[in-house]
Amino acid sequence: MSLTEPGPVVTAAHPAEVAPAALPVSAAVPRHATAPQQWAPPAPRPSGTTVQRSLAVAFALAWLACPLVEPMPSDDVHYPMWQLPIELASFASAVLAVVLLWRGSRLAAPFGLVAGCLMAVMTMVCPLAGHTPVGWWTWVQTGLSLFVMTASTALHRRTPGTARP
């Protein structure tokens, strides 16, 4: 056959237009086309129960109430920089505990326990740093810290998947 002679006419057809019997078995269904016709919806995000969400709000309010009940220092007290890492760790653990509780995660209990312990440390650090003397606010802060620690311990005992055989 030369270049000037007309050859057979070849037309490109869409694979859907070609009958399945006309295609070889390997060409009928490509390997990469094994997806289902209809995609399943994504799994719902885990969400906490009403009790867990209420506890998350209570944790947030307890953490916010600790510095609010403490009076401002009366003298010109310089902020010790060694206290900053403790405060940042306390803030981060409280935020993580609240978010994980709201979402219903199993990790909420350990982070809540850490947040409660760091709240107690912050309660002890303020009189040690000379910000304020020990007063009624110290005992309120201690009670709030104990509430967070006790609730986290109880939550850890009741969370499925954390019990030992």
Side-chain angles (χ1 to χ4, degrees), residues 13-117:
H14 192 273
E17 297 172 358
V18 178
L23 294 174
V25 174
S26 63
V29 179
R31 287 186 164 176
H32 65 276
T34 58
Q37 292 294 332
Q38 184 177 15
W39 292 92
R45 288 183 159 181
S47 180
T49 62
T50 305
V51 172
Q52 288 173 324
R53 289 186 175 192
S54 301
L55 199 55
V57 171
F59 278 16
L61 291 175
W63 192 86
L64 289 172
C66 273
L68 290 177
V69 298
E70 186 176 328
M72 293 299 290
S74 56
D75 297 333
D76 186 25
V77 178
H78 296 288
Y79 181 78
M81 289 309 290
W82 58 266
Q83 193 174 349
L84 182 64
I86 300 169
E87 287 186 5
L88 292 176
S90 175
F91 175 73
S93 63
V95 168
L96 278 172
V98 167
V99 169
L100 291 172
L101 258 175
W102 190 268
R103 300 259 338 243
S105 174
R106 292 179 306 160
L107 296 174
F111 277 105
L113 190 59
V114 169
C117 290

Side-chain angles (χ1 to χ4, degrees), residues 128-139:
L128 291 175
H131 293 162
T132 56
V134 175
W136 63 269
W137 53 88
T138 308
W139 307 114

Side-chain angles (χ1 to χ4, degrees), residues 156-165:
H156 180 69
R157 290 185 164 278
R158 296 192 58 140
T159 304
T162 58
R164 294 187 180 156

